[in-house]
Amino acid sequence: MASASTSKKMREEATCSICLHLMAEPVSISCGHSYCQACLLRFVGPPSSLPSEQDTETFSCPQCQALFQRGSLRPNKQLGSLIAALREQEQQQQQQLEQEEEQEQEQELSCEEHGERLHLFCEDDGQLICWRCERHGQHKGHNTALVEDVSPGYREKLQEAVRKLRQLEEECTNQKAFTAKQIAQWKRQKIQADFHNLRSFLREEERSYLRKLESEEQRTLQRLRVREANLGQQSRKLKYHIRELEERCQGSAQKVLQDVKGALSRSQDVRLETPEALSLEIQTQYKVPELYFELRKRLRSHQGT
């Protein structure tokens, strides 16, 4: 079986950079990068209404910004087989982990102070206690109940917290994919179309304007990448809280209740920081129409001569 570091490296290589999960039905584009088929189709959007243009539509790779066409998408069966093997390996590891956890759960927790079994739950302090803590200790007179009676209710609260965190995670993933699409689309500027008819005459002017745009482009892309990085960090934080609560839900009644109020409080404090809206309007001004007519006049003058 592969080592932990090797498995981690394999998972990183097999993770879709759009949804941050293992790729499902991976497809590759002309630059060599691969993504989930559904993620990439959602990224490029619906095809053109003209059948003749559907396969030749051009997009930018979310990772390296290299151009690719819709028709260049190819299923990566070899990568799909490796991902299937990786999933099977992780499933086996998960089953082994669950077996170990079950063995641990069979060993009931005991009170550190009195050595008695922790079969009661103090609602006032949110702690597992023994019968001696309830009668003689600091929990005397508190509202207590049997672990078996209160654990189902707290288990439902934990599962509800997981559901809300998953909604935040999905929203975060959608915003990250949208930001990645903005980064790719920003590089496709309308300015090239304005130079199409007289490209040979306007080449130097176009280069001049593109140089001016370069500094503006870097600033805009930097802000978008910072936002993308923030969303990635929030996504990892949400995954951590979800995993913590799911492991608690799958545990024994005592594990469910151990510091359960603290766990619920931490999950309720999680918020998704919505990125501020960024204007993608180009600020650099250019005067292609005036330049176009001036050059056309010069061309006619030259042809008349």
Side-chain angles (χ1 to χ4, degrees):
M1 185 174 292
S3 64
S5 59
T6 303
S7 299
K8 181 179 180 182
K9 180 64 177 178
M10 291 174 59
R11 169 171 267 279
E12 291 176 353
E13 294 296 331
T15 296
C16 174
S17 62
I18 296 178
C19 67
L20 302 179
H21 296 296
L22 283 178
M23 298 181 202
E25 299 182 8
V27 293
S28 299
I29 56 180
S30 53
C31 65
H33 287 117
S34 300
Y35 305 91
C36 298
Q37 183 181 48
C39 291
L40 195 58
L41 291 178
R42 185 166 55 249
F43 174 78
V44 301
S48 171
S49 57
L50 299 177
S52 60
E53 298 180 359
Q54 290 182 0
D55 288 342
T56 58
E57 290 182 276
T58 303
F59 307 92
S60 297
C61 173
Q63 287 186 257
C64 68
Q65 310 303 317
L67 297 180
F68 70 94
Q69 294 181 338
R70 186 189 295 272
S72 69
L73 273 64
R74 294 291 182 272
N76 193 330
K77 295 182 179 179
Q78 186 175 13
L79 179 58
S81 299
L82 290 175
I83 292 175
L86 182 60
R87 291 184 188 276
E88 182 178 356
Q89 176 185 329
E90 291 183 347
Q91 184 177 7
Q92 292 175 354
Q93 293 175 347
Q94 180 64 27
Q95 290 175 351
Q96 181 179 356
L97 181 61
E98 290 176 356
Q99 291 176 357
E100 293 175 354
E101 289 179 349
E102 289 178 359
Q103 293 175 357
E104 292 179 358
Q105 291 169 10
E106 292 177 356
Q107 302 175 355
E108 293 187 343
L109 298 177
S110 299
C111 178
E112 295 182 358
E113 182 180 357
H114 303 112
E116 301 289 347
R117 186 168 66 92
L118 297 174
H119 69 290
L120 297 173
F121 180 71
C122 177
E123 290 281 3
D124 295 343
D125 296 331
Q127 294 180 359
L128 293 167
I129 62 175
C130 69
W131 67 272
R132 295 179 65 182
C133 292
E134 180 189 32
R135 296 184 182 180
H136 310 295
Q138 60 180 355
H139 301 278
K140 183 178 181 180
H142 288 187
N143 182 24
T144 61
L146 290 173
V147 165
E148 292 77 7
D149 294 339
V150 297
S151 62
Y154 279 104
R155 194 185 301 272
E156 291 179 1
K157 291 181 180 180
L158 290 169
Q159 292 171 344
E160 176 65 16
V162 170
R163 186 187 65 79
K164 291 181 179 179
L165 290 175
R166 284 204 176 279
Q167 290 178 345
L168 292 177
E169 181 191 24
E170 182 179 359
E171 183 181 350
C172 183
T173 299
N174 292 337
Q175 291 184 10
K176 186 176 183 295
F178 179 71
T179 301
K181 188 173 183 178
Q182 285 183 313
I183 293 175
Q185 290 178 339
W186 206 92
K187 299 180 71 68
R188 303 172 58 199
Q189 302 298 336
K190 184 179 178 295
I191 187 173
Q192 294 181 352
D194 296 326
F195 286 92
H196 178 72
N197 293 331
L198 290 175
R199 184 172 298 278
S200 60
F201 296 93
L202 296 174
R203 186 170 293 119
E204 291 301 322
E205 291 295 329
E206 181 182 9
R207 290 176 180 172
S208 174
Y209 285 120
L210 288 176
R211 282 195 297 270
K212 296 177 183 178
L213 279 171
E214 185 176 2
S215 61
E216 178 185 346
E217 177 184 8
Q218 293 301 320
R219 293 193 300 270
T220 302
L221 289 177
Q222 179 64 26
R223 295 175 67 187
L224 286 171
R225 289 193 176 102
V226 168
R227 182 165 72 174
E228 183 183 34
N230 289 337
L231 289 170
Q233 184 177 3
Q234 292 186 65
S235 176
R236 290 189 292 272
K237 183 177 180 181
L238 288 168
K239 289 179 184 297
Y240 170 79
H241 284 288
I242 290 172
R243 184 169 62 252
E244 178 187 8
L245 295 182
E246 285 182 335
E247 290 177 354
R248 182 182 290 271
C249 290
Q250 295 171 1
S252 64
Q254 293 177 332
K255 188 170 183 180
V256 168
L257 297 175
Q258 192 171 19
D259 192 30
V260 66
K261 293 190 175 181
L264 290 171
S265 177
R266 289 192 296 273
S267 69
Q268 292 169 358
D269 291 338
V270 176
R271 297 291 184 273
L272 181 61
E273 298 178 5
T274 304
E276 63 175 348
L278 296 179
S279 174
L280 300 182
E281 293 292 330
I282 299 176
Q283 303 300 318
T284 301
Q285 300 296 320
Y286 59 95
K287 299 180 180 179
V288 172
E290 292 84 349
L291 191 58
Y292 175 89
F293 290 120
E294 178 65 21
L295 286 175
R296 190 171 64 172
K297 184 171 66 174
R298 292 182 185 180
L299 178 60
R300 287 178 178 175
S301 176
H302 177 72
Q303 291 173 340
T305 303

